[in-house]
Amino acid sequence: MQIHSQATVRWNLPLEDDAKLASSPAPSNFRILIVNEDMRNADSLKCTLNDLGYFATCTAYSARRALAVAEDFAPSVALLDLELPDMTGYQLAHRLRSHLSRCVRKVPLLAIAEFPLYGTSELTRAAGFMGWLPKPVDQVALSALLNQLQPRVGS
């Protein structure tokens, strides 16, 4: 397990690809649990999150490790690979949803699918995921999903 947290100074500069990304900076207390057995994919996803301004991340390289750290890390969202070595992402989602800790049971889940199949949207929704993204994860799509989860300032 790796826990990464760092302070940073951010200037909102317009991005060439999407002006909405620059206008909604990530909150510094938004904690993201990354669950992926492939270290390169997990590091790539962490870099994408860093590019979006999310620096409080915890990486677990197995479902069992994710279950072990979920309560202490208290993530704002969990990004789960659907293909893990010790159980599927669907099984992990079920275990998180039935966790003894209420804060773990209520964590929004986002599926990451290497091989999206017909019906992936329906299967992930039925398993309790708020959505899914194909690999490699698109920065704009990830930002849009994470922005939906952030508490609105002034509301």
Side-chain angles (χ1 to χ4, degrees):
M1 171 186 74
Q2 296 177 353
I3 296 179
H4 307 280
S5 182
Q6 55 187 341
T8 186
V9 175
R10 266 192 97 198
W11 287 277
N12 289 330
L13 301 174
L15 299 176
E16 293 176 19
D17 292 351
D18 194 310
K20 285 172 55 176
L21 288 176
S23 65
S24 57
S28 60
N29 63 344
F30 201 77
R31 300 163 62 87
I32 301 174
L33 175 62
I34 301 167
V35 185
N36 194 319
E37 84 287 350
D38 186 321
M39 289 183 183
R40 284 181 283 177
N41 284 338
D43 289 344
S44 174
L45 186 53
K46 187 175 82 170
C47 287
T48 298
L49 290 166
N50 286 343
D51 290 345
L52 293 171
Y54 298 95
F55 296 102
T57 62
C58 175
T59 304
Y61 299 111
S62 71
R64 283 186 176 80
R65 191 67 190 139
L67 288 167
V69 302
E71 187 171 6
D72 288 336
F73 182 65
S76 303
V77 65
L79 308 178
L80 310 181
D81 189 355
L82 293 179
E83 298 296 323
L84 297 167
D86 49 354
M87 66 179 76
T88 68
Y90 297 109
Q91 291 168 323
L92 176 56
H94 176 72
R95 299 273 303 268
L96 290 169
R97 290 290 174 247
S98 60
H99 198 277
L100 292 175
S101 171
R102 183 178 189 277
C103 69
V104 174
R105 285 194 311 264
K106 298 299 181 184
V107 170
L109 305 175
L110 181 60
I112 308 296
E114 187 162 358
F115 303 106
L117 302 172
Y118 178 75
T120 300
S121 294
E122 292 79 13
L123 289 171
T124 54
R125 201 170 315 122
F129 290 94
M130 64 162 281
W132 72 278
L133 294 169
K135 289 182 185 178
V137 174
D138 178 69
Q139 186 176 11
V140 174
L142 178 60
S143 178
L145 285 171
L146 293 176
N147 283 337
Q148 292 176 12
L149 297 172
Q150 295 176 30
R152 301 290 174 228
V153 177
S155 58

Short mmCIF file of all heavy atoms in Angstrom, two decimals, residues 57-121:
data_model
loop_
_atom_site.label_atom_id
_atom_site.label_comp_id
_atom_site.label_asym_id
_atom_site.label_seq_id
_atom_site.Cartn_x
_atom_site.Cartn_y
_atom_site.Cartn_z
N THR A 57 -4.08 10.22 -2.48
CA THR A 57 -4.45 8.93 -3.04
C THR A 57 -3.83 7.80 -2.22
O THR A 57 -2.82 7.98 -1.55
CB THR A 57 -3.97 8.77 -4.50
OG1 THR A 57 -2.55 8.86 -4.54
CG2 THR A 57 -4.59 9.83 -5.40
N CYS A 58 -4.47 6.66 -2.30
CA CYS A 58 -3.95 5.44 -1.69
C CYS A 58 -4.07 4.36 -2.75
O CYS A 58 -5.14 4.19 -3.35
CB CYS A 58 -4.76 5.07 -0.45
SG CYS A 58 -4.28 3.50 0.29
N THR A 59 -2.98 3.65 -3.02
CA THR A 59 -2.99 2.61 -4.04
C THR A 59 -2.92 1.24 -3.38
O THR A 59 -2.03 0.98 -2.57
CB THR A 59 -1.78 2.77 -4.99
OG1 THR A 59 -1.82 4.09 -5.55
CG2 THR A 59 -1.84 1.76 -6.11
N ALA A 60 -3.88 0.38 -3.71
CA ALA A 60 -3.88 -1.00 -3.25
C ALA A 60 -3.77 -1.88 -4.50
O ALA A 60 -4.48 -1.68 -5.47
CB ALA A 60 -5.17 -1.31 -2.50
N TYR A 61 -2.86 -2.86 -4.44
CA TYR A 61 -2.61 -3.71 -5.60
C TYR A 61 -3.37 -5.03 -5.56
O TYR A 61 -3.12 -5.91 -6.37
CB TYR A 61 -1.10 -3.97 -5.74
CG TYR A 61 -0.33 -2.68 -5.96
CD1 TYR A 61 0.52 -2.19 -4.97
CD2 TYR A 61 -0.47 -1.96 -7.13
CE1 TYR A 61 1.22 -1.00 -5.17
CE2 TYR A 61 0.22 -0.77 -7.33
CZ TYR A 61 1.06 -0.31 -6.34
OH TYR A 61 1.74 0.86 -6.53
N SER A 62 -4.32 -5.15 -4.63
CA SER A 62 -5.19 -6.33 -4.58
C SER A 62 -6.48 -5.93 -3.88
O SER A 62 -6.54 -4.92 -3.15
CB SER A 62 -4.53 -7.48 -3.82
OG SER A 62 -4.46 -7.20 -2.43
N ALA A 63 -7.52 -6.74 -4.07
CA ALA A 63 -8.80 -6.47 -3.43
C ALA A 63 -8.69 -6.63 -1.92
O ALA A 63 -9.24 -5.82 -1.16
CB ALA A 63 -9.86 -7.42 -3.99
N ARG A 64 -7.97 -7.64 -1.48
CA ARG A 64 -7.81 -7.85 -0.04
C ARG A 64 -7.12 -6.66 0.63
O ARG A 64 -7.48 -6.24 1.73
CB ARG A 64 -7.05 -9.15 0.23
CG ARG A 64 -7.91 -10.37 0.04
CD ARG A 64 -7.22 -11.65 0.44
NE ARG A 64 -8.09 -12.78 0.32
CZ ARG A 64 -8.38 -13.41 -0.82
NH1 ARG A 64 -7.84 -13.00 -1.94
NH2 ARG A 64 -9.20 -14.44 -0.83
N ARG A 65 -6.12 -6.13 -0.04
CA ARG A 65 -5.41 -4.97 0.52
C ARG A 65 -6.34 -3.75 0.55
O ARG A 65 -6.31 -2.96 1.49
CB ARG A 65 -4.16 -4.68 -0.30
CG ARG A 65 -3.25 -3.68 0.35
CD ARG A 65 -2.64 -4.25 1.61
NE ARG A 65 -1.96 -3.18 2.32
CZ ARG A 65 -1.99 -3.02 3.63
NH1 ARG A 65 -2.61 -3.88 4.39
NH2 ARG A 65 -1.37 -2.02 4.18
N ALA A 66 -7.15 -3.60 -0.47
CA ALA A 66 -8.11 -2.49 -0.50
C ALA A 66 -9.09 -2.59 0.66
O ALA A 66 -9.40 -1.58 1.31
CB ALA A 66 -8.87 -2.49 -1.83
N LEU A 67 -9.56 -3.80 0.94
CA LEU A 67 -10.46 -3.99 2.07
C LEU A 67 -9.77 -3.68 3.40
O LEU A 67 -10.39 -3.14 4.31
CB LEU A 67 -10.99 -5.43 2.08
CG LEU A 67 -12.00 -5.75 0.98
CD1 LEU A 67 -12.21 -7.26 0.88
CD2 LEU A 67 -13.31 -5.03 1.21
N ALA A 68 -8.49 -3.99 3.48
CA ALA A 68 -7.74 -3.75 4.71
C ALA A 68 -7.52 -2.26 4.99
O ALA A 68 -7.48 -1.84 6.14
CB ALA A 68 -6.40 -4.47 4.66
N VAL A 69 -7.37 -1.45 3.94
CA VAL A 69 -7.06 -0.03 4.14
C VAL A 69 -8.26 0.90 4.03
O VAL A 69 -8.18 2.06 4.39
CB VAL A 69 -5.96 0.45 3.16
CG1 VAL A 69 -4.70 -0.35 3.32
CG2 VAL A 69 -6.45 0.45 1.73
N ALA A 70 -9.39 0.40 3.52
CA ALA A 70 -10.53 1.26 3.22
C ALA A 70 -11.02 2.06 4.42
O ALA A 70 -11.27 3.26 4.30
CB ALA A 70 -11.66 0.44 2.62
N GLU A 71 -11.16 1.43 5.56
CA GLU A 71 -11.71 2.14 6.72
C GLU A 71 -10.75 3.21 7.23
O GLU A 71 -11.15 4.34 7.51
CB GLU A 71 -12.05 1.16 7.84
CG GLU A 71 -12.78 1.82 8.98
CD GLU A 71 -13.32 0.83 9.99
OE1 GLU A 71 -13.04 -0.38 9.87
OE2 GLU A 71 -14.01 1.27 10.91
N ASP A 72 -9.46 2.88 7.35
CA ASP A 72 -8.49 3.85 7.85
C ASP A 72 -8.24 5.01 6.88
O ASP A 72 -8.08 6.15 7.29
CB ASP A 72 -7.16 3.17 8.18
CG ASP A 72 -7.24 2.30 9.42
OD1 ASP A 72 -8.12 2.55 10.26
OD2 ASP A 72 -6.44 1.37 9.54
N PHE A 73 -8.23 4.71 5.58
CA PHE A 73 -7.98 5.76 4.59
C PHE A 73 -9.20 6.65 4.39
O PHE A 73 -9.07 7.83 4.09
CB PHE A 73 -7.53 5.13 3.26
CG PHE A 73 -7.21 6.13 2.20
CD1 PHE A 73 -6.13 7.01 2.35
CD2 PHE A 73 -7.97 6.24 1.05
CE1 PHE A 73 -5.84 7.95 1.38
CE2 PHE A 73 -7.68 7.16 0.07
CZ PHE A 73 -6.60 8.02 0.23
N ALA A 74 -10.40 6.10 4.58
CA ALA A 74 -11.66 6.84 4.43
C ALA A 74 -11.73 7.59 3.10
O ALA A 74 -11.77 8.82 3.06
CB ALA A 74 -11.86 7.80 5.59
N PRO A 75 -11.76 6.85 1.98
CA PRO A 75 -11.75 7.52 0.67
C PRO A 75 -13.05 8.25 0.37
O PRO A 75 -14.11 7.89 0.86
CB PRO A 75 -11.55 6.35 -0.31
CG PRO A 75 -12.10 5.16 0.40
CD PRO A 75 -11.83 5.39 1.86
N SER A 76 -12.92 9.29 -0.45
CA SER A 76 -14.09 10.01 -0.97
C SER A 76 -14.68 9.26 -2.15
O SER A 76 -15.87 9.39 -2.45
CB SER A 76 -13.69 11.41 -1.41
OG SER A 76 -13.11 12.12 -0.35
N VAL A 77 -13.84 8.49 -2.83
CA VAL A 77 -14.25 7.66 -3.97
C VAL A 77 -13.23 6.54 -4.12
O VAL A 77 -12.06 6.70 -3.76
CB VAL A 77 -14.37 8.50 -5.27
CG1 VAL A 77 -13.03 9.05 -5.71
CG2 VAL A 77 -15.01 7.70 -6.39
N ALA A 78 -13.68 5.40 -4.66
CA ALA A 78 -12.77 4.28 -4.93
C ALA A 78 -12.83 3.94 -6.42
O ALA A 78 -13.92 3.79 -6.98
CB ALA A 78 -13.15 3.06 -4.10
N LEU A 79 -11.67 3.87 -7.05
CA LEU A 79 -11.56 3.50 -8.46
C LEU A 79 -11.11 2.04 -8.50
O LEU A 79 -9.98 1.73 -8.15
CB LEU A 79 -10.55 4.39 -9.16
CG LEU A 79 -10.74 5.90 -9.01
CD1 LEU A 79 -9.63 6.65 -9.73
CD2 LEU A 79 -12.10 6.32 -9.52
N LEU A 80 -12.00 1.14 -8.92
CA LEU A 80 -11.74 -0.29 -8.86
C LEU A 80 -11.55 -0.88 -10.25
O LEU A 80 -12.43 -0.77 -11.09
CB LEU A 80 -12.90 -1.02 -8.18
CG LEU A 80 -13.41 -0.50 -6.84
CD1 LEU A 80 -14.54 -1.39 -6.33
CD2 LEU A 80 -12.30 -0.42 -5.84
N ASP A 81 -10.42 -1.55 -10.44
CA ASP A 81 -10.22 -2.34 -11.64
C ASP A 81 -11.16 -3.54 -11.55
O ASP A 81 -11.30 -4.14 -10.48
CB ASP A 81 -8.76 -2.79 -11.72
CG ASP A 81 -8.40 -3.44 -13.05
OD1 ASP A 81 -9.30 -3.64 -13.90
OD2 ASP A 81 -7.22 -3.78 -13.22
N LEU A 82 -11.79 -3.91 -12.64
CA LEU A 82 -12.71 -5.04 -12.62
C LEU A 82 -11.99 -6.38 -12.66
O LEU A 82 -12.57 -7.40 -12.31
CB LEU A 82 -13.71 -4.94 -13.78
CG LEU A 82 -14.69 -3.78 -13.67
CD1 LEU A 82 -15.61 -3.76 -14.88
CD2 LEU A 82 -15.49 -3.84 -12.38
N GLU A 83 -10.72 -6.41 -13.08
CA GLU A 83 -9.94 -7.64 -13.15
C GLU A 83 -8.81 -7.59 -12.13
O GLU A 83 -7.76 -7.02 -12.39
CB GLU A 83 -9.37 -7.83 -14.56
CG GLU A 83 -10.41 -7.95 -15.65
CD GLU A 83 -11.27 -9.19 -15.49
OE1 GLU A 83 -10.74 -10.25 -15.08
OE2 GLU A 83 -12.48 -9.10 -15.78
N LEU A 84 -9.04 -8.18 -10.97
CA LEU A 84 -8.05 -8.22 -9.90
C LEU A 84 -7.61 -9.66 -9.68
O LEU A 84 -8.35 -10.59 -10.00
CB LEU A 84 -8.62 -7.62 -8.61
CG LEU A 84 -9.01 -6.14 -8.70
CD1 LEU A 84 -9.86 -5.73 -7.51
CD2 LEU A 84 -7.77 -5.29 -8.80
N PRO A 85 -6.42 -9.89 -9.13
CA PRO A 85 -5.92 -11.25 -9.00
C PRO A 85 -6.65 -12.10 -7.96
O PRO A 85 -6.77 -13.31 -8.13
CB PRO A 85 -4.45 -11.06 -8.60
CG PRO A 85 -4.39 -9.72 -7.99
CD PRO A 85 -5.44 -8.90 -8.68
N ASP A 86 -7.17 -11.48 -6.91
CA ASP A 86 -7.76 -12.26 -5.83
C ASP A 86 -9.29 -12.29 -5.83
O ASP A 86 -9.89 -13.13 -5.18
CB ASP A 86 -7.24 -11.79 -4.48
CG ASP A 86 -7.30 -10.28 -4.29
OD1 ASP A 86 -7.66 -9.57 -5.25
OD2 ASP A 86 -6.98 -9.82 -3.19
N MET A 87 -9.93 -11.40 -6.55
CA MET A 87 -11.38 -11.40 -6.75
C MET A 87 -11.69 -10.38 -7.83
O MET A 87 -10.85 -9.56 -8.18
CB MET A 87 -12.15 -11.12 -5.45
CG MET A 87 -11.96 -9.73 -4.86
SD MET A 87 -12.90 -9.44 -3.33
CE MET A 87 -11.95 -10.34 -2.13
N THR A 88 -12.88 -10.42 -8.37
CA THR A 88 -13.24 -9.45 -9.40
C THR A 88 -13.60 -8.12 -8.74
O THR A 88 -13.86 -8.05 -7.53
CB THR A 88 -14.46 -9.93 -10.23
OG1 THR A 88 -15.62 -9.93 -9.40
CG2 THR A 88 -14.22 -11.32 -10.82
N GLY A 89 -13.63 -7.08 -9.56
CA GLY A 89 -14.05 -5.78 -9.06
C GLY A 89 -15.49 -5.79 -8.59
O GLY A 89 -15.87 -5.08 -7.66
N TYR A 90 -16.31 -6.64 -9.22
CA TYR A 90 -17.71 -6.78 -8.80
C TYR A 90 -17.78 -7.39 -7.40
O TYR A 90 -18.57 -6.95 -6.56
CB TYR A 90 -18.49 -7.65 -9.78
CG TYR A 90 -18.58 -7.07 -11.17
CD1 TYR A 90 -17.87 -7.63 -12.22
CD2 TYR A 90 -19.39 -5.96 -11.42
CE1 TYR A 90 -17.96 -7.10 -13.50
CE2 TYR A 90 -19.48 -5.43 -12.69
CZ TYR A 90 -18.76 -6.00 -13.73
OH TYR A 90 -18.86 -5.46 -14.98
N GLN A 91 -16.96 -8.40 -7.14
CA GLN A 91 -16.93 -9.02 -5.81
C GLN A 91 -16.41 -8.03 -4.76
O GLN A 91 -16.94 -7.96 -3.66
CB GLN A 91 -16.05 -10.27 -5.83
CG GLN A 91 -16.65 -11.41 -6.63
CD GLN A 91 -15.65 -12.53 -6.87
OE1 GLN A 91 -14.46 -12.29 -7.09
NE2 GLN A 91 -16.14 -13.76 -6.84
N LEU A 92 -15.40 -7.27 -5.13
CA LEU A 92 -14.87 -6.26 -4.22
C LEU A 92 -15.94 -5.20 -3.92
O LEU A 92 -16.11 -4.79 -2.77
CB LEU A 92 -13.61 -5.60 -4.79
CG LEU A 92 -13.01 -4.46 -3.97
CD1 LEU A 92 -12.69 -4.90 -2.54
CD2 LEU A 92 -11.77 -3.92 -4.66
N ALA A 93 -16.67 -4.78 -4.93
CA ALA A 93 -17.75 -3.81 -4.72
C ALA A 93 -18.77 -4.36 -3.73
O ALA A 93 -19.22 -3.65 -2.83
CB ALA A 93 -18.41 -3.46 -6.05
N HIS A 94 -19.13 -5.62 -3.88
CA HIS A 94 -20.09 -6.25 -2.96
C HIS A 94 -19.53 -6.26 -1.54
O HIS A 94 -20.26 -5.95 -0.58
CB HIS A 94 -20.40 -7.68 -3.42
CG HIS A 94 -21.29 -8.41 -2.48
ND1 HIS A 94 -22.63 -8.13 -2.33
CD2 HIS A 94 -21.02 -9.41 -1.61
CE1 HIS A 94 -23.14 -8.91 -1.40
NE2 HIS A 94 -22.19 -9.71 -0.95
N ARG A 95 -18.25 -6.58 -1.38
CA ARG A 95 -17.63 -6.61 -0.06
C ARG A 95 -17.58 -5.21 0.55
O ARG A 95 -17.79 -5.04 1.76
CB ARG A 95 -16.22 -7.20 -0.14
CG ARG A 95 -16.15 -8.64 -0.64
CD ARG A 95 -16.32 -9.69 0.43
NE ARG A 95 -15.39 -9.63 1.52
CZ ARG A 95 -14.23 -10.28 1.58
NH1 ARG A 95 -13.84 -11.05 0.57
NH2 ARG A 95 -13.47 -10.18 2.64
N LEU A 96 -17.29 -4.20 -0.26
CA LEU A 96 -17.28 -2.82 0.24
C LEU A 96 -18.69 -2.39 0.65
O LEU A 96 -18.87 -1.73 1.67
CB LEU A 96 -16.70 -1.87 -0.80
CG LEU A 96 -15.20 -2.01 -1.06
CD1 LEU A 96 -14.80 -1.20 -2.29
CD2 LEU A 96 -14.38 -1.58 0.15
N ARG A 97 -19.68 -2.76 -0.14
CA ARG A 97 -21.06 -2.38 0.15
C ARG A 97 -21.61 -3.08 1.39
O ARG A 97 -22.57 -2.61 2.00
CB ARG A 97 -21.98 -2.70 -1.04
CG ARG A 97 -21.74 -1.79 -2.23
CD ARG A 97 -22.23 -0.40 -1.91
NE ARG A 97 -21.90 0.53 -2.95
CZ ARG A 97 -21.05 1.54 -2.82
NH1 ARG A 97 -20.44 1.75 -1.69
NH2 ARG A 97 -20.81 2.35 -3.82
N SER A 98 -21.01 -4.21 1.78
CA SER A 98 -21.47 -4.92 2.97
C SER A 98 -20.49 -4.78 4.14
O SER A 98 -20.57 -5.52 5.11
CB SER A 98 -21.70 -6.40 2.64
OG SER A 98 -20.50 -7.00 2.19
N HIS A 99 -19.58 -3.82 4.05
CA HIS A 99 -18.57 -3.58 5.09
C HIS A 99 -19.24 -3.16 6.40
O HIS A 99 -20.32 -2.56 6.40
CB HIS A 99 -17.60 -2.49 4.62
CG HIS A 99 -16.33 -2.44 5.36
ND1 HIS A 99 -16.19 -1.79 6.56
CD2 HIS A 99 -15.11 -2.97 5.09
CE1 HIS A 99 -14.96 -1.91 7.00
NE2 HIS A 99 -14.27 -2.63 6.12
N LEU A 100 -18.62 -3.48 7.53
CA LEU A 100 -19.17 -3.10 8.83
C LEU A 100 -19.19 -1.59 9.05
O LEU A 100 -20.07 -1.06 9.71
CB LEU A 100 -18.36 -3.77 9.95
CG LEU A 100 -18.48 -5.28 10.04
CD1 LEU A 100 -17.55 -5.82 11.12
CD2 LEU A 100 -19.91 -5.70 10.32
N SER A 101 -18.22 -0.90 8.47
CA SER A 101 -18.14 0.55 8.65
C SER A 101 -19.06 1.26 7.66
O SER A 101 -18.99 1.05 6.45
CB SER A 101 -16.70 1.01 8.42
OG SER A 101 -16.64 2.42 8.38
N ARG A 102 -19.92 2.13 8.19
CA ARG A 102 -20.87 2.85 7.34
C ARG A 102 -20.14 3.73 6.32
O ARG A 102 -20.56 3.84 5.18
CB ARG A 102 -21.78 3.72 8.21
CG ARG A 102 -22.83 4.45 7.41
CD ARG A 102 -23.76 5.25 8.33
NE ARG A 102 -24.88 5.78 7.61
CZ ARG A 102 -24.84 6.91 6.90
NH1 ARG A 102 -23.74 7.61 6.82
NH2 ARG A 102 -25.92 7.34 6.27
N CYS A 103 -19.02 4.35 6.74
CA CYS A 103 -18.30 5.24 5.82
C CYS A 103 -17.75 4.46 4.62
O CYS A 103 -17.69 4.99 3.52
CB CYS A 103 -17.21 6.03 6.52
SG CYS A 103 -15.80 5.07 7.08
N VAL A 104 -17.38 3.21 4.82
CA VAL A 104 -16.90 2.39 3.70
C VAL A 104 -18.07 1.96 2.82
O VAL A 104 -17.98 1.96 1.59
CB VAL A 104 -16.11 1.17 4.21
CG1 VAL A 104 -15.72 0.23 3.06
CG2 VAL A 104 -14.86 1.61 4.96
N ARG A 105 -19.20 1.60 3.44
CA ARG A 105 -20.38 1.17 2.66
C ARG A 105 -20.88 2.27 1.74
O ARG A 105 -21.44 2.00 0.69
CB ARG A 105 -21.51 0.76 3.61
CG ARG A 105 -21.33 -0.57 4.26
CD ARG A 105 -22.62 -1.06 4.92
NE ARG A 105 -23.27 -0.09 5.76
CZ ARG A 105 -23.13 0.00 7.09
NH1 ARG A 105 -22.32 -0.83 7.71
NH2 ARG A 105 -23.79 0.91 7.77
N LYS A 106 -20.69 3.53 2.13
CA LYS A 106 -21.24 4.66 1.37
C LYS A 106 -20.27 5.26 0.36
O LYS A 106 -20.62 6.21 -0.34
CB LYS A 106 -21.70 5.76 2.35
CG LYS A 106 -22.80 5.32 3.28
CD LYS A 106 -24.04 4.92 2.51
CE LYS A 106 -25.14 4.50 3.45
NZ LYS A 106 -26.31 4.01 2.73
N VAL A 107 -19.05 4.73 0.26
CA VAL A 107 -18.06 5.29 -0.67
C VAL A 107 -18.53 5.09 -2.11
O VAL A 107 -18.87 3.98 -2.51
CB VAL A 107 -16.68 4.61 -0.48
CG1 VAL A 107 -15.71 5.00 -1.58
CG2 VAL A 107 -16.10 4.96 0.87
N PRO A 108 -18.58 6.16 -2.91
CA PRO A 108 -18.91 6.00 -4.32
C PRO A 108 -17.84 5.16 -5.02
O PRO A 108 -16.65 5.33 -4.78
CB PRO A 108 -18.92 7.43 -4.86
CG PRO A 108 -19.07 8.30 -3.64
CD PRO A 108 -18.41 7.56 -2.53
N LEU A 109 -18.28 4.27 -5.90
CA LEU A 109 -17.38 3.38 -6.61
C LEU A 109 -17.39 3.70 -8.10
O LEU A 109 -18.45 3.94 -8.68
CB LEU A 109 -17.79 1.92 -6.42
CG LEU A 109 -17.92 1.43 -4.98
CD1 LEU A 109 -18.44 0.00 -4.95
CD2 LEU A 109 -16.59 1.55 -4.26
N LEU A 110 -16.22 3.69 -8.70
CA LEU A 110 -16.06 3.90 -10.13
C LEU A 110 -15.27 2.73 -10.69
O LEU A 110 -14.17 2.43 -10.21
CB LEU A 110 -15.34 5.22 -10.39
CG LEU A 110 -15.10 5.62 -11.84
CD1 LEU A 110 -16.43 5.77 -12.58
CD2 LEU A 110 -14.33 6.92 -11.89
N ALA A 111 -15.82 2.03 -11.67
CA ALA A 111 -15.17 0.86 -12.26
C ALA A 111 -14.24 1.27 -13.39
O ALA A 111 -14.54 2.20 -14.15
CB ALA A 111 -16.22 -0.12 -12.79
N ILE A 112 -13.11 0.56 -13.48
CA ILE A 112 -12.16 0.74 -14.57
C ILE A 112 -12.09 -0.60 -15.30
O ILE A 112 -11.71 -1.61 -14.70
CB ILE A 112 -10.77 1.15 -14.05
CG1 ILE A 112 -10.85 2.35 -13.10
CG2 ILE A 112 -9.82 1.40 -15.21
CD1 ILE A 112 -11.35 3.63 -13.73
N ALA A 113 -12.49 -0.62 -16.56
CA ALA A 113 -12.58 -1.87 -17.31
C ALA A 113 -11.55 -1.90 -18.43
O ALA A 113 -11.50 -0.99 -19.26
CB ALA A 113 -13.98 -2.04 -17.89
N GLU A 114 -10.73 -2.94 -18.44
CA GLU A 114 -9.73 -3.09 -19.50
C GLU A 114 -10.38 -3.54 -20.79
O GLU A 114 -10.04 -3.09 -21.87
CB GLU A 114 -8.66 -4.08 -19.08
CG GLU A 114 -7.52 -4.14 -20.06
CD GLU A 114 -6.29 -4.77 -19.47
OE1 GLU A 114 -6.30 -5.14 -18.29
OE2 GLU A 114 -5.31 -4.88 -20.20
N PHE A 115 -11.33 -4.45 -20.67
CA PHE A 115 -12.03 -4.98 -21.83
C PHE A 115 -13.52 -4.74 -21.68
O PHE A 115 -14.24 -5.61 -21.20
CB PHE A 115 -11.76 -6.49 -21.99
CG PHE A 115 -10.30 -6.82 -22.10
CD1 PHE A 115 -9.63 -7.41 -21.04
CD2 PHE A 115 -9.60 -6.53 -23.26
CE1 PHE A 115 -8.29 -7.71 -21.13
CE2 PHE A 115 -8.25 -6.83 -23.35
CZ PHE A 115 -7.59 -7.42 -22.29
N PRO A 116 -13.99 -3.56 -22.07
CA PRO A 116 -15.42 -3.30 -21.93
C PRO A 116 -16.22 -4.24 -22.83
O PRO A 116 -15.91 -4.41 -24.00
CB PRO A 116 -15.58 -1.84 -22.37
CG PRO A 116 -14.33 -1.49 -23.09
CD PRO A 116 -13.27 -2.44 -22.64
N LEU A 117 -17.19 -4.88 -22.23
CA LEU A 117 -18.03 -5.83 -22.94
C LEU A 117 -19.44 -5.29 -23.04
O LEU A 117 -19.83 -4.36 -22.31
CB LEU A 117 -18.05 -7.18 -22.20
CG LEU A 117 -16.70 -7.84 -21.97
CD1 LEU A 117 -16.85 -9.04 -21.05
CD2 LEU A 117 -16.09 -8.25 -23.30
N TYR A 118 -20.23 -5.88 -23.92
CA TYR A 118 -21.62 -5.51 -24.03
C TYR A 118 -22.29 -5.71 -22.67
O TYR A 118 -22.15 -6.76 -22.06
CB TYR A 118 -22.32 -6.36 -25.10
CG TYR A 118 -23.79 -6.05 -25.22
CD1 TYR A 118 -24.22 -4.89 -25.85
CD2 TYR A 118 -24.73 -6.89 -24.66
CE1 TYR A 118 -25.55 -4.59 -25.95
CE2 TYR A 118 -26.08 -6.61 -24.76
CZ TYR A 118 -26.48 -5.45 -25.40
OH TYR A 118 -27.82 -5.16 -25.49
N GLY A 119 -22.96 -4.71 -22.17
CA GLY A 119 -23.65 -4.81 -20.90
C GLY A 119 -22.83 -4.33 -19.71
O GLY A 119 -23.30 -4.41 -18.58
N THR A 120 -21.61 -3.83 -19.95
CA THR A 120 -20.77 -3.37 -18.84
C THR A 120 -21.48 -2.28 -18.04
O THR A 120 -21.43 -2.29 -16.81
CB THR A 120 -19.41 -2.88 -19.35
OG1 THR A 120 -18.73 -3.94 -20.01
CG2 THR A 120 -18.54 -2.37 -18.21
N SER A 121 -22.14 -1.36 -18.71
CA SER A 121 -22.84 -0.27 -18.00
C SER A 121 -23.90 -0.82 -17.06
O SER A 121 -23.99 -0.40 -15.90
CB SER A 121 -23.49 0.69 -19.00
OG SER A 121 -22.52 1.35 -19.75
#
